[in-house]
């Protein structure tokens, strides 16, 4: 089953260069402690992504999502991890979920990840044109954050995490 899931993940990545996850994934890595979390300053591309997502949500009658640092720290850690291993994935999603449940009172958690898009518009449009990613963006959430980081080859990696309090 895990092999089939991995093959499906690789296939989907090859087609869209982006992915999403909900609270159904599990793994064995320890949940990060609060003093291990880095919360970097927001980049222009990150602010633009958050604004575009909120504009979309408002345009279809959904609530605007609020940004909180604790989510930013989890998103940044995962983006940094993806860059380190040079792979877009949802590894250790269960740990991010557990951390946000324990430290941000999250009732539900989901994430979208992506690689290689060069602008806020391009990554948000890719997510909105993918049913699973759009469902995450349009989901029943109250808060979100994004991390966008460039690898050594100047390619962007993205982790966008959503929670409902």
């Amino acid at each position: 089953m895990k092999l089939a899931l991995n093959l499906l993940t690789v296939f989907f990545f090859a087609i869209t260069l982006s992915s999403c996850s909900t609270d159904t994934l599990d793994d064995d890595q320890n949940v990060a402690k609060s003093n291990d979390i880095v919360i970097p300053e927001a980049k222009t591309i990150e602010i633009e992504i958050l604004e575009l997502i909120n504009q979309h949500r408002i345009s279809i009658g959904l609530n605007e999502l609020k940004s909180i640092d604790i989510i930013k720290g989890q998103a940044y850690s995962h983006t940094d991890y993806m860059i380190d291993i040079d792979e877009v994935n949802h590894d250790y999603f269960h740990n991010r979920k557990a951390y946000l449940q324990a430290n941000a009172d999250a009732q539900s958690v989901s994430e979208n990840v992506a690689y290689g898009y060069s602008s806020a518009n391009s990554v948000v449009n890719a997510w909105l044109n993918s049913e699973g990613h759009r469902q995450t963006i349009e989901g029943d959430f109250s808060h979100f954050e994004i991390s966008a980081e460039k690898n050594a080859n100047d390619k962007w990696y993205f982790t966008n995490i959503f929670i409902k309090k």
Side-chain angles (χ1 to χ4, degrees):
M1 176 69 177
K2 192 165 187 159
L3 177 60
L5 180 60
N6 286 340
L7 290 175
L8 182 60
T9 302
V10 169
F11 175 75
F12 186 72
F13 172 73
I15 302 250
T16 65
L17 292 177
S18 62
S19 185
C20 65
S21 179
T22 60
D23 26 5
T24 59
L25 297 180
D26 197 6
D27 54 59
D28 298 325
Q29 184 177 343
N30 293 331
V31 175
K33 295 175 179 46
S34 61
N35 59 351
D36 296 337
I37 303 302
V38 175
I39 303 169
E41 292 288 323
K43 295 175 187 64
T44 301
I45 192 170
E46 294 169 333
I47 295 166
E48 291 171 352
I49 290 167
L50 298 177
E51 288 173 351
L52 287 168
I53 289 172
N54 268 334
Q55 287 171 7
H56 173 75
R57 287 179 61 87
I58 291 166
S59 76
I60 60 171
L62 297 174
N63 62 303
E64 183 174 15
L65 301 177
K66 295 181 177 18
S67 172
I68 54 177
D69 283 346
I70 195 164
I71 302 171
K72 175 79 167 186
Q74 291 297 299
Y76 174 77
S77 294
H78 185 62
T79 303
D80 193 44
Y81 168 77
M82 290 190 301
I83 289 171
D84 284 348
I85 67 168
D86 196 27
E87 177 185 307
V88 175
N89 62 62
H90 293 287
D91 290 356
Y92 313 115
F93 173 76
H94 178 73
N95 296 334
R96 290 185 292 288
K97 174 189 166 195
Y99 180 87
L100 291 167
Q101 287 173 322
N103 296 286
D105 298 321
Q107 297 172 10
S108 60
V109 181
S110 190
E111 74 181 13
N112 287 339
V113 296
Y115 163 79
Y117 295 95
S118 59
S119 70
N121 280 325
S122 63
V123 71
V124 171
N125 284 335
W127 283 332
L128 289 174
N129 286 315
S130 163
E131 184 177 344
H133 301 102
R134 188 178 62 253
Q135 286 175 351
T136 297
I137 288 171
E138 295 174 357
D140 184 17
F141 298 107
S142 58
H143 296 80
F144 70 156
E145 246 312 341
I146 183 84
S147 171
E149 300 295 328
K150 283 187 176 181
N151 68 6
N153 297 319
D154 276 342
K155 298 290 183 184
W156 287 102
Y157 280 77
F158 304 89
T159 303
N160 190 193
I161 300 178
F162 300 78
I163 72 168
K164 179 179 180 177
K165 284 187 155 207

